[in-house]
Amino acid sequence: MCGICGFAGPGDEAVLAAMNARMAYRGPDGQGTSFHPRHGLHLGHRRLAIVDIVSGAQPMATLDEGLCVTFNGEIYNHQELRRELEAKGHRFQTSHCDTEVLLHGYREWGQDLTERLSGMWAFALYDAERSELLLSRDRFGKKPLYYHLRPGFLAFASELSALLEHLEVPTGLDHGALRKYFAYGFIPAPGSLYAGVRKLPGGCNLLVNLDDFSSRLSRYWTYRIEPFDTLPADPEAQWGEQIRELLDKAVARRLMSDVPLGVFLSGGIDSSAITALAARRVAGLRTFSIGFTEASFDESAYSSRAAALFGTAHSQEVLSLSTALGILPDIAARLDEPMGDSSLLPTYLLCRETRKHVTVALGGDGADELFAGYDPFKALRAAEGYAALCPRPVHQALRLLAARLPVGHSNMHFSFKVNRFLAGLSQDKRLWNPVWLGPVEPALLAELFAEPCDPEEVYSEAIEAWDDCVAPDLVDKTLEFYAKLYLQDAILVKVDRASMLNSLEVRAPFLDLELVDLVRRIPHRFKFRDGQGKYILKKALEPLLPADILHRKKKGFGAPVGLWFQEGRLDLDGLSLPQCIDRSVVERVWREHRDGAADHRLLLWNLWVLGRHTGRRAA
């Protein structure tokens, strides 16, 4: 796992060095640069050495120097591709480096290479003969890639902060993106906090002609639910066996490493399944968890139980949340872009503990999005019935009553869930999911920015995901929302930042392409059934996991930020917030929260992170 950067146009080696240095923690094992004078192209790379430690330095070029690449990620099928390319006459210089496969693969297949790759990646590949630079990002956007493009200038980097080291990159705030940040709790691709900067969306290639800086953005893959037309005779048994076999293959692929490797283990179904499969192949498998002294946020008993069951060498750090609170300012200050998920804190702590022992970890990301594991899936049918039967005046009265429920700050407190449910139902059904998840509903968003809020614009990505889903059922539409937006721009961003701040690579077996292609075709009634999420996954894992793990209640991985704001242990004093935000509204919601009159934990957290993050120089 690494960091990449580069530019074509104005700038020199000192600029590239500054961009590279900004990402040093992403690649502490080495750095490299290359310059291609014909197009004024500078390429940079920071390396976290995982595979082919001796000969995998980057940027890497072909022997004739016609192609050069800087690459962040892992290609899990690189050995199969290497054999195929060697059979076609390609001669490799490295013994088993996945980076070199990109060079020969591009020479053989051009942009079609990306459709053949299985893995996670962001890369920039220079083709001197064609005067082109190809930027590419993996299907789900697990690896980040920011860029700025205008006539005569292109710059890109793995991190926004590295990109901004080039003074030609504009730093004016994108107010539309800022509103989306408060609406979703994240900034959806292709937007970023800065008006001139874009994220390359997952599943996309951007081809730039370096002679005239014209470009073509193309999508080579998208997640789409397309249920099977016919079912097998025994779908639970057949699909269950296929899921188990494909997950086993996915875990095996992700054990590829020339450095120590382990598994995140919370004791839930996802991490326990990965642990069970990895433990079959790795003697003395290392597993890792983080625990807290506060019971409603602690999973340490479950992780210890699973570790004992599979005989792993388990490392577990147990902290008080008060102790953990002390490192929050430092984490927020090092963030690349603000994010609204407070589970960033325990995720960072887990990665910090893991990195003390290994360089690579496997995690359970993707299972909730693919198999309907989140709580909002349980609300869909009730919401559908409520929306059909409850008159608007009655709904407004119920909202007023719910707002008077006692505020509580335990994990997923009853009043929090009720008020979130009703807030979503104040909107069109296309907006239920983002409003249930987001920090601010449209009415308060309009107050916060002191201007009208157009939900069609603010939630345009969620509406597009809803409308593009060919399956008519609410569960399928919600699955596509989570897989296309929330997974890419919230979950995977959080894990990337938390892990890379600790120089740790994290791999996600549930996002393996073969497994995803099967799961997206399984009808939703086998994913969410009788109020139970992950139904078919649990059936598939019955031979691997005991019932108490398969059916334990899901516990969120969060922090009590609501309580911290109420007690004044987190506050908004001295924060540098953009001028477009109405400070009187900020003061009001903070006062209401401190007084226990309302639960504004999500909005306050988003404000706090925005005010603390390192990229606020444009504010």
Side-chain angles (χ1 to χ4, degrees):
M1 201 53 55
C2 309
I4 65 173
C5 61
F7 60 89
D12 55 22
E13 292 182 3
V15 173
L16 186 67
M19 295 173 72
N20 234 5
R22 188 71 178 191
M23 305 181 296
Y25 49 80
R26 294 189 76 95
D29 297 330
Q31 62 177 316
T33 63
S34 66
F35 177 57
H36 306 271
R38 179 183 166 196
H39 294 105
L41 175 66
H42 290 78
L43 299 177
H45 189 265
R46 296 289 319 199
R47 189 181 187 205
L48 179 63
I50 304 294
V51 175
D52 200 350
I53 296 172
V54 174
S55 57
Q58 296 186 49
M60 182 179 290
T62 53
L63 280 176
D64 62 8
E65 298 187 351
L67 301 176
C68 185
V69 68
T70 182
F71 161 56
N72 170 26
E74 303 289 350
I75 305 302
Y76 301 121
N77 64 337
H78 72 96
Q79 293 177 334
E80 299 97 305
L81 293 174
R82 176 184 285 250
R83 287 192 292 269
E84 185 177 353
L85 289 163
E86 287 175 334
K88 292 178 178 291
H90 292 263
R91 295 294 174 259
F92 285 75
Q93 304 304 305
T94 63
S95 62
H96 60 289
C97 179
D98 54 349
T99 306
E100 193 177 8
V101 167
L102 298 177
L103 293 168
H104 290 281
Y106 185 79
R107 178 154 284 172
E108 182 67 32
W109 299 305
Q111 283 196 67
D112 291 344
L113 163 69
T114 52
E115 298 179 16
R116 296 170 177 263
L117 299 177
S118 174
M120 54 181 178
W121 69 84
F123 65 75
L125 194 153
Y126 173 54
D127 186 332
E129 181 180 350
R130 291 187 172 88
S131 302
E132 292 175 341
L133 186 73
L134 174 66
L135 302 180
S136 181
R137 196 172 178 206
D138 65 76
R139 292 170 179 84
F140 283 102
K142 198 168 192 306
K143 293 293 97 187
L145 189 56
Y146 294 88
Y147 69 95
H148 169 71
L149 176 63
R150 68 172 189 262
F153 181 65
L154 164 70
F156 65 89
S158 294
E159 296 200 355
L160 184 57
S161 54
L163 188 65
L164 297 181
E165 287 293 326
H166 200 305
L167 297 183
E168 289 289 330
V169 176
T171 58
L173 278 182
D174 185 331
H175 290 183
L178 193 61
R179 284 191 292 273
K180 289 178 183 290
Y181 167 66
F182 284 103
Y184 288 108
F186 54 85
I187 299 175
S192 85
L193 192 61
Y194 299 100
V197 176
R198 290 291 175 261
K199 303 185 191 90
L200 184 64
C204 286
N205 293 330
L206 177 68
L207 189 66
V208 181
N209 184 308
L210 295 179
D211 288 332
D212 60 11
F213 290 87
S214 60
S215 65
R216 184 173 73 253
L217 179 70
S218 59
R219 177 168 288 281
Y220 64 87
W221 187 86
T222 190
Y223 178 81
R224 188 174 300 281
I225 291 176
E226 297 173 313
F228 289 111
D229 293 327
T230 58
L231 304 185
D234 188 347
E236 291 180 13
Q238 181 169 323
W239 287 336
E241 182 178 1
Q242 286 180 275
I243 289 170
R244 194 165 56 251
E245 290 177 352
L246 290 174
L247 183 59
D248 188 33
K249 288 174 62 177
V251 168
R253 289 189 185 105
R254 284 155 183 80
L255 295 176
M256 171 191 75
S257 176
D258 293 339
V259 294
L261 176 148
V263 177
F264 291 157
L265 178 58
S266 69
I269 179 175
D270 310 328
S271 64
S272 295
I274 292 170
T275 300
L277 294 168
R280 293 176 170 183
R281 291 181 164 84
V282 179
L285 179 70
R286 298 296 303 262
T287 54
F288 304 92
S289 68
I290 191 79
F292 296 103
T293 54
E294 291 82 354
S296 70
F297 292 87
D298 184 53
E299 293 187 292
S300 56
Y302 300 110
S303 58
S304 296
R305 150 88 168 121
L309 181 65
F310 302 116
T312 67
H314 192 58
S315 298
Q316 181 169 277
E317 184 177 15
V318 178
L319 303 170
S320 73
L321 283 164
S322 299
T323 301
L325 174 61
I327 70 167
L328 253 183
D330 180 59
I331 298 173
R334 298 172 67 194
L335 277 183
D336 188 46
E337 195 172 41
M339 61 185 69
D341 188 345
S342 65
S343 68
L344 172 69
L345 174 59
T347 305
Y348 175 89
L349 293 169
L350 173 61
C351 291
R352 186 181 70 174
E353 171 65 18
T354 302
R355 187 60 176 92
K356 295 174 184 177
H357 308 277
V358 302
T359 311
V360 179
L362 276 60
D365 298 314
D368 285 319
E369 291 81 6
L370 297 177
F371 291 97
Y374 289 119
D375 281 346
F377 286 96
K378 300 176 182 178
L380 289 173
R381 297 306 179 211
E384 193 172 30
Y386 179 100
L389 298 174
C390 186
R392 184 57 51 175
V394 175
H395 170 74
Q396 296 298 342
L398 289 173
R399 289 208 66 180
L400 292 173
L401 288 172
R404 302 181 65 179
L405 289 170
V407 173
H409 297 298
S410 61
N411 205 3
M412 297 302 291
H413 189 271
F414 175 74
S415 64
F416 176 80
K417 292 194 290 185
V418 169
N419 279 285
R420 303 300 293 179
F421 177 77
L422 293 174
L425 289 172
S426 296
Q427 310 299 324
D428 180 89
K429 65 174 60 177
R430 298 178 300 169
L431 306 185
W432 287 353
N433 289 302
V435 172
W436 282 341
L437 280 173
V440 185
E441 59 181 297
L444 184 52
L445 188 64
E447 290 186 65
L448 187 65
F449 284 86
E451 62 183 29
C453 170
D454 179 5
E456 295 278 336
E457 188 278 325
V458 172
Y459 298 105
S460 59
E461 298 82 5
I463 293 171
E464 181 180 355
W466 182 282
D467 291 342
D468 284 352
C469 181
V470 296
D473 192 85
L474 289 175
V475 173
D476 284 328
K477 290 181 177 295
T478 298
L479 283 164
E480 288 211 6
F481 166 81
Y482 275 104
K484 288 181 175 179
L485 271 78
Y486 186 63
L487 178 62
Q488 173 181 267
D489 294 312
I491 295 297
L492 295 180
V493 171
K494 174 191 67 179
V495 173
D496 176 80
R497 300 304 185 270
S499 61
M500 295 313 299
L501 284 172
N502 290 284
S503 304
L504 177 75
E505 175 178 309
V506 177
R507 300 172 176 177
F510 279 103
L511 296 182
D512 185 85
L513 180 59
E514 288 186 66
L515 178 60
V516 169
D517 273 342
L518 169 66
V519 175
R520 72 182 183 85
R521 303 207 63 198
I522 295 176
H524 65 81
R525 65 183 181 276
F526 292 93
K527 300 169 187 173
F528 189 82
R529 177 177 293 187
D530 298 328
Q532 177 185 184
K534 298 182 178 176
Y535 176 81
I536 191 65
L537 178 61
K538 292 173 182 176
K539 286 291 184 182
L541 298 177
E542 283 179 350
L544 292 178
L545 304 178
D548 62 320
I549 291 179
L550 280 173
H551 301 292
R552 63 164 279 209
K553 186 176 180 180
K554 184 177 180 62
K555 180 186 284 285
F557 199 36
V561 294
L563 182 62
W564 288 342
F565 278 113
Q566 187 179 48
E567 294 176 343
R569 303 173 76 182
L570 283 177
D571 62 57
L572 304 183
D573 292 337
L575 294 185
S576 177
L577 293 173
Q579 293 181 356
C580 58
I581 292 177
D582 190 329
R583 288 302 299 240
S584 67
V585 176
V586 173
E587 293 295 332
R588 189 193 80 213
V589 298
W590 188 17
R591 182 174 60 253
E592 290 174 352
H593 189 90
R594 290 198 309 268
D595 294 343
D599 186 349
H600 293 300
R601 69 178 84 170
L602 298 181
L603 172 55
L604 292 172
W605 171 258
N606 277 257
L607 287 164
W608 187 86
V609 173
L610 176 66
R612 288 275 184 175
H613 99 288
T614 57
R616 67 179 183 271
R617 70 183 188 184

